[in-house]
């Protein structure tokens, strides 16, 4: 679409007022080239249902009359929902790219001398690059041409922020979020340095202090430190001319003459979520320096780790083993976390995070397409104790848990791959799923298949602020008294034992009979089990649904109303309750999933789906406890659904009706595993006599066989389509 601008063009009232203030201050008038936002998308289906079916155009061209600039000027614009590459050019001269970030933000571009011509000028914003074929719904506009260089525009005023721990009074690393009066992230006049990591509207500080420029205006400043901490906010007005005002103790202002107005504010945050005895771990941490993509340098990454309260970060750059310890010491943040050397072993058939690994050592062979060969190389070259299957539902050459390769009802690989992982990502905040709980169900199916798999939450962060580090995280049971001296061996032992909780804006704890926790095997000494559930979170997040599951099936569901939450909520504890359950006659595992509304506040926004399967999107925060096994059969060891199914199929291999009758004493998970074993043995599950026998079986048996057959049909369809 083309927008023609002249002196008579009607402008947004808010922008006119803003520009008038700046014009009075400078004696020169910025030009609002376009006062509204436009919906753009190249040909193709819309990305999200929140956008209209038809975009205004596939590009935005703003034509305006101008006068050649002999000195540097600045272009300002607002962007929303930018995922792909969009270029900004003036008169066929590239000024830069929109920031690849879905968040609402105001960004700035340098306009070099001579870029503006006498007469007619054309500003063009269009999608480009190697992924231009992927439709990307964006909004862009509110475009202003400033007559001054960017440093002057962003340095009209100066804001100095100091953040302390409300309990100790000491300065604390944190994340600052700066929103303008339109609710967008506001770019600041500062650059990353030895103490700051800076992106549009976001400043991470290693020591709680930050000083940066801002255009004159009104802003809301947020301070936070990741999931465990409270959130502080303060509204500030930064006029161009110093105004007489009282100076309360928590803030001060001063006239800096020609530099502009200066203001200092103080904010305090405190730890709200009780996580004693657990370390906050992000198992999936990247840098631009060593992975080659994203935007976080290794120095910036050290600051963000400290500012988000990560205690045990795993360095997982692609096919390389990097030690973050010297960088953490260089940035003087080593006391806040214990870095661990790892590697994202990146193959065509799957990505695997491994740790601990030797720094700088020979990385595992990553060209094999056989998982077992990859594992052999991992063990031989690194002796890493932990192997995690990453983002199994995403397409990176191969979609490991796609229907062409994986039967989701029974956790079986269909391409001959041998399962090699100790853990699997169930929450990846940098690669969220359309169905937020899909990977959680996959994990529980792996347990039913008989595999000791630990659930993992992580960020997969390559960026400073877009998908920030440790938004998804794993809490590992371990001594956390000194974050700078975490016992890595103890943490690894407990990770492998499943003594974890997974967090994405919430934390879910489960205790059985007052003492058994995640990773434990609880004996069945009574007819009843007493389960205690506790959902944790800071004041800025909440839950509305809690599920207690046995072998992946809900046995108790709480749908929470806000009034109930308000009545029962305590600091750091959103909800807690008890339930009595009958002791099962066979072994099962219990786990809790808690979820709640996603967070749209730009101080901690929950991201849209990374590879969406639908234009519909409902953001959710999520948490999952680790598994507690119940020794229902009393033999002192945990037995999976697959174990029971295998034993029954062997016993009744020539008598299907007897097998189906025996399965009635077990749950759906056991029946689904039995269905696969019967199918593999050559019995047609679709045959009339089989279906007739199933019709007489218990409902749980019918459900299990049906689940397997539904997944089998999806497998057949995907393989026929070659997907």
């Amino acid at each position: 679409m083309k927008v023609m601008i002249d002196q008579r063009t009607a402008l947004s009232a808010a922008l006119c007022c803003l520009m008038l203030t700046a014009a009075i201050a400078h004696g020169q008038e910025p030009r609002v080239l376009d006062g509204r936002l436009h919906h753009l998308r190249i040909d193709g289906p819309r990305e999200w249902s929140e956008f209209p079916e038809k975009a205004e155009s596939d590009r935005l061209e703003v034509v305006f009359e101008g006068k050649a600039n002999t000195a540097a000027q600045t272009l300002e614009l607002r962007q929303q929902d930018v995922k792909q590459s969009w270029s900004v050019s003036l008169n066929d001269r590239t000024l830069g790219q929109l920031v690849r970030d879905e968040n609402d933000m105001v960004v700035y571009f340098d306009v070099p001398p001579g870029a503006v011509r006498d007469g007619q000028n054309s500003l063009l914003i269009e999608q480009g690059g190697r992924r231009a074929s992927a439709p990307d719904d964006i909004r862009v506009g509110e475009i202003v041409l400033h007559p001054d260089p960017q440093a002057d525009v962003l340095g009209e005023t100066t804001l100095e922020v100091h953040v302390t721990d409300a309990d100790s009074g000491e300065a604390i690393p944190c994340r600052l979020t700066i929103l303008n009066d339109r609710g967008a992230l506001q770019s600041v006049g500062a650059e990353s340095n030895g103490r700051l990591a800076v992106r549009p509207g976001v400043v991470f500080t290693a020591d709680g202090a930050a000083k940066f420029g801002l255009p004159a205006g009104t802003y809301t400043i947020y301070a936070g430190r990741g999931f465990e901490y409270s959130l502080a906010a303060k509204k500030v007005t930064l006029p161009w001319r110093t105004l007489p005002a009282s100076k309360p103790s928590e803030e001060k202002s001063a006239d800096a003459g020609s530099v502009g107005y200066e203001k200092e504010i103080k904010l305090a945050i405190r730890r709200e979520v009780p996580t004693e005895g657990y370390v906050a771990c992000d198992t999936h941490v990247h840098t631009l320096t060593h992975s080659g993509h994203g935007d976080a340098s290794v120095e910036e990454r050290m600051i963000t780790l400290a500012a988000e309260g990560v205690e045990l970060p795993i360095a997982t750059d692609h096919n390389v083993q990097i030690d973050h310890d010297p960088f953490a010491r260089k940035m003087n943040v080593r006391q806040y976390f214990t870095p661990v050397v790892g590697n994202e072993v990146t193959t065509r058939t799957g990505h695997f995070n491994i740790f601990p690994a030797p720094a700088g050592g020979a990385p595992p062979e990553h060209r094999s397409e056989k998982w077992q060969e990859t594992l052999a190389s991992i063990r031989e070259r690194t002796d890493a104790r932990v192997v995690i299957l990453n983002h199994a539902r995403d397409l990176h050459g191969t979609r490991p848990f796609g229907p062409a390769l994986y039967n989701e009802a029974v956790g079986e690989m269909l391409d001959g791959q041998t399962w090699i992982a100790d853990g699997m990502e169930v929450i990846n905040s940098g690669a969220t799923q359309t169905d937020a709980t899909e990977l959680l169900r996959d994990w529980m199916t792996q347990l039913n298949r008989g595999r000791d798999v630990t659930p993992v939450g992580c960020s997969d962060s390559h960026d400073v602020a877009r998908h920030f580090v440790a938004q998804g995280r794993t809490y590992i049971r371990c001594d956390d008294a000194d974050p700078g001296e975490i016992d890595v061996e103890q943490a690894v032992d407990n990770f492998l034992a499943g003594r974890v909780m997974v967090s994405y804006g919430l934390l879910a704890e489960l205790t059985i009979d007052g003492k058994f926790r995640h990773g434990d095997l609880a004996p069945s000494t009574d007819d009843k089990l007493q389960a205690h559930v506790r959902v944790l979170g800071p004041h800025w997040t909440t839950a509305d649904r809690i599920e207690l599951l046995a072998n992946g099936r809900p046995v108790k569901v709480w749908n929470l109303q806000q009034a109930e939450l308000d009545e029962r909520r305590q600091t750091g504890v959103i909800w807690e309750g008890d339930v009595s359950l009958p002791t099962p006659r066979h072994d099962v595992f219990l786990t809790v999933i808690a979820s709640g509304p996603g967070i749209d506040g730009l101080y901690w926004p929950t991201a849209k789906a990374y590879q969406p399967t639908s234009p519909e999107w409902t953001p959710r925060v999520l948490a999952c406890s680790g598994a507690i096994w119940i020794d229902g059969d009393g033999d002192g060891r945990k037995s999976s659904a697959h174990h029971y199914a295998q034993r029954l199929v062997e016993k009744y291999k020539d008598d299907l009706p007897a097998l189906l009758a025996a399965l009635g004493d077990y749950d759906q998970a056991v029946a689904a595993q039995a269905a696969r074993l019967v199918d593999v043995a050559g019995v047609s599950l679709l045959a009339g006599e089989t279906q007739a026998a199933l019709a007489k079986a218990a409902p749980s048996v019918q459900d299990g066989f049906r689940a397997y057959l539904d997944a089998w049909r999806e497998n057949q369809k995907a393989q026929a389509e070659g997907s």
Side-chain angles (χ1 to χ4, degrees):
M1 69 176 299
K2 181 180 289 188
V3 178
M4 305 294 293
I5 303 295
D6 60 29
Q7 297 300 321
R8 296 166 294 177
T9 301
L11 302 177
S12 148
L15 282 175
C16 280
C17 181
L18 177 65
M19 293 302 101
L20 180 61
T21 302
I24 293 172
H26 287 282
Q28 292 181 293
E29 185 176 352
R31 293 188 61 189
V32 179
L33 302 184
D34 187 358
R36 69 184 186 90
L37 291 172
H38 302 274
H39 170 210
L40 307 181
R41 182 180 68 236
I42 63 173
D43 287 341
R46 63 177 172 172
E47 189 180 14
W48 306 110
S49 60
E50 69 187 65
F51 288 89
E53 285 277 6
K54 184 175 177 57
E56 294 179 52
S57 179
D58 62 353
R59 61 174 59 189
L60 176 63
E61 183 180 9
V62 180
V63 178
F64 63 97
E65 293 293 319
K67 189 173 182 179
N69 63 318
T70 57
Q73 297 185 348
T74 303
L75 185 75
E76 171 190 340
L77 61 82
R78 185 178 181 182
Q79 63 167 70
Q80 297 173 346
D81 230 292
V82 177
K83 185 175 183 179
Q84 306 296 343
S85 175
W86 290 77
S87 64
V88 180
S89 60
L90 179 61
N91 298 325
D92 296 322
R93 184 171 182 172
T94 300
L95 300 183
Q97 306 284 321
L98 297 183
V99 179
R100 296 181 68 168
D101 191 320
E102 290 84 348
N103 293 313
D104 184 2
M105 61 179 58
V106 176
V107 296
Y108 296 79
F109 298 86
D110 292 321
V111 180
V116 180
R117 301 170 181 165
D118 285 327
Q120 193 174 84
N121 292 264
S122 173
L123 175 70
L124 181 64
I125 299 173
E126 61 181 345
Q127 189 176 348
R130 64 182 178 86
R131 297 190 67 184
S133 61
D136 186 19
D137 282 295
I138 74 166
R139 296 185 187 93
V140 65
E142 298 184 5
I143 303 172
V144 180
L145 181 63
H146 295 267
D148 303 303
Q150 190 172 156
D152 290 353
V153 174
L154 294 180
E156 283 185 341
T157 71
T158 301
L159 182 65
E160 187 172 348
V161 184
H162 293 274
V163 182
T164 56
D165 185 298
D167 296 317
S168 70
E170 297 179 356
I172 188 171
C174 65
R175 167 189 172 124
L176 302 175
T177 305
I178 302 95
L179 302 185
N180 66 15
D181 56 2
R182 288 168 281 165
L185 292 167
Q186 172 63 49
S187 293
V188 303
E191 295 181 353
S192 296
N193 56 38
R195 308 308 293 155
L196 304 179
V198 181
R199 291 297 182 272
V202 177
V203 177
F204 288 95
T205 165
D207 56 9
K211 187 174 183 178
F212 47 86
L214 284 168
T218 297
Y219 302 94
T220 302
I221 314 300
Y222 292 92
R225 191 170 186 247
F227 167 73
E228 297 176 34
Y229 279 76
S230 66
L231 186 72
K234 189 171 186 65
K235 191 172 184 177
V236 297
T237 297
L238 304 173
W240 175 253
R241 300 186 186 282
T242 302
L243 302 177
S246 60
K247 301 178 182 180
S249 59
E250 72 272 11
E251 63 178 75
K252 64 181 180 180
S253 60
D255 186 355
S258 61
V259 175
Y261 184 86
E262 291 190 0
K263 193 180 192 78
E264 179 183 357
I265 63 171
K266 295 180 179 180
L267 297 168
I269 58 177
R270 61 166 39 93
R271 184 187 296 274
E272 289 189 337
V273 183
T275 60
E276 294 82 0
Y278 285 87
V279 296
C281 176
D282 190 343
T283 62
H284 202 157
V285 177
H286 289 278
T287 67
L288 170 63
T289 307
H290 298 112
S291 279
H293 59 115
D295 71 16
S297 71
V298 69
E299 290 82 8
E300 289 175 317
R301 175 59 71 221
M302 299 304 102
I303 296 173
T304 63
L305 289 169
E308 289 293 342
V310 188
E311 296 165 321
L312 194 69
I314 315 298
T316 54
D317 287 303
H318 296 283
N319 297 323
V320 65
Q321 284 135 222
I322 303 300
D323 186 359
H324 283 168
D325 185 86
F327 300 105
R329 295 183 187 280
K330 171 186 174 183
M331 306 306 288
N332 196 29
V333 292
R334 178 61 178 80
Q335 67 273 31
Y336 297 111
F337 56 84
T338 300
V340 177
V341 179
N343 183 339
E344 183 169 19
V345 183
T346 307
T347 79
R348 201 188 72 80
T349 56
H351 293 193
F352 303 92
N353 281 345
I354 67 170
F355 65 92
E365 172 57 54
H366 60 274
R367 289 169 292 188
S368 174
E369 296 189 2
K370 296 181 178 179
W371 287 9
Q372 203 60 36
E373 291 179 1
T374 301
L375 177 64
S377 182
I378 290 170
R379 301 299 193 210
E380 176 186 352
R381 297 190 184 183
T382 71
D383 202 29
R385 295 181 60 201
V386 175
V387 178
I388 298 169
L389 175 62
N390 299 343
H391 39 66
R393 289 279 178 175
D394 292 341
L395 179 63
H396 294 287
T398 299
R399 196 187 307 274
F401 281 8
L405 300 176
Y406 179 74
N407 185 293
E408 66 181 15
V410 293
E412 197 65 38
M413 305 301 295
L414 306 178
D415 59 352
Q417 297 280 24
T418 302
W419 181 264
I420 67 173
D422 306 296
M424 64 168 286
E425 292 179 354
V426 298
I427 296 172
N428 182 317
S429 58
T432 54
Q433 302 292 305
T434 298
D435 179 351
T437 62
E438 189 169 32
L439 285 166
L440 284 166
R441 294 196 301 273
D442 289 333
W443 163 63
M444 290 184 281
T445 301
Q446 290 299 319
L447 296 186
N448 284 326
R449 179 57 183 81
R451 299 179 179 126
D452 288 326
V453 180
T454 297
V456 174
C458 67
S459 70
D460 197 359
S461 176
H462 295 72
D463 311 299
V464 169
R466 180 189 182 191
H467 298 300
F468 53 91
V469 74
Q471 188 177 34
R473 54 178 67 187
T474 303
Y475 280 90
I476 305 173
R477 200 183 309 169
C478 187
D479 182 2
D480 65 335
D482 184 352
E485 296 294 337
I486 300 296
D487 185 334
V488 175
E489 185 174 356
Q490 181 189 67
V492 169
D493 287 343
N494 285 342
F495 177 94
L496 292 171
R499 300 185 182 110
V500 303
M501 296 180 288
V502 173
S503 172
Y504 180 45
L506 297 170
L507 201 57
E509 291 181 341
L510 174 63
T511 307
I512 298 297
D513 292 342
K515 58 182 177 180
F516 297 104
R517 298 186 291 170
H518 326 112
D520 292 345
L521 174 66
S524 53
T525 55
D526 298 314
D527 292 336
K528 294 287 186 179
L529 298 173
Q530 300 301 319
H532 181 74
V533 178
R534 190 166 75 146
V535 178
L536 309 176
H539 72 265
W540 42 267
T541 186
T542 193
D544 58 18
R545 183 178 174 85
I546 302 168
E547 297 176 83
L548 175 61
L549 305 103
N551 279 4
R553 297 281 290 180
V555 294
K556 176 67 177 177
V557 176
W558 295 269
N559 289 304
L560 307 178
Q561 302 300 316
Q562 191 59 51
E564 179 186 4
L565 290 173
D566 292 342
E567 180 181 345
R568 301 176 67 170
R569 185 160 187 163
Q570 308 169 45
T571 299
V573 181
I574 296 173
W575 182 92
E576 62 182 320
D578 298 281
V579 63
S580 180
L581 302 172
T583 300
R585 288 176 290 179
H586 60 87
D587 294 5
V588 300
F589 66 87
L590 298 177
T591 189
V592 169
I593 295 175
S595 61
I599 297 172
D600 57 10
L602 294 178
Y603 48 79
W604 208 89
T606 45
K608 290 180 175 177
Y610 169 61
Q611 292 182 351
T613 57
S614 167
E616 303 295 332
W617 171 246
T618 303
R620 301 287 287 173
V621 291
L622 195 63
C624 178
S625 71
I628 302 177
W629 284 85
I630 308 301
D631 186 17
D633 60 17
D635 65 358
R637 61 177 184 268
K638 59 184 180 184
S639 298
S640 69
H642 181 266
H643 167 84
Y644 290 115
Q646 192 170 41
R647 190 173 67 184
L648 290 171
V649 169
E650 289 175 355
K651 181 176 180 180
Y652 299 105
K653 59 183 176 181
D654 297 322
D655 190 344
L656 181 62
L659 170 64
L660 297 177
L663 285 169
D665 292 333
Y666 297 83
D667 62 12
Q668 181 193 19
V670 177
Q673 294 291 331
R676 175 190 169 271
L677 293 173
V678 169
D679 184 28
V680 170
V683 176
S684 173
L685 300 184
L686 300 176
E689 59 186 296
T690 305
Q691 290 296 308
L694 275 170
K696 301 175 183 177
S700 62
V701 179
Q702 294 182 28
D703 289 346
F705 273 69
R706 186 182 304 112
Y708 172 73
L709 276 171
D710 288 346
W712 176 85
R713 290 186 181 98
E714 288 298 313
N715 298 149
Q716 300 301 305
K717 179 181 176 182
Q719 290 171 354
E721 295 173 349
S723 61

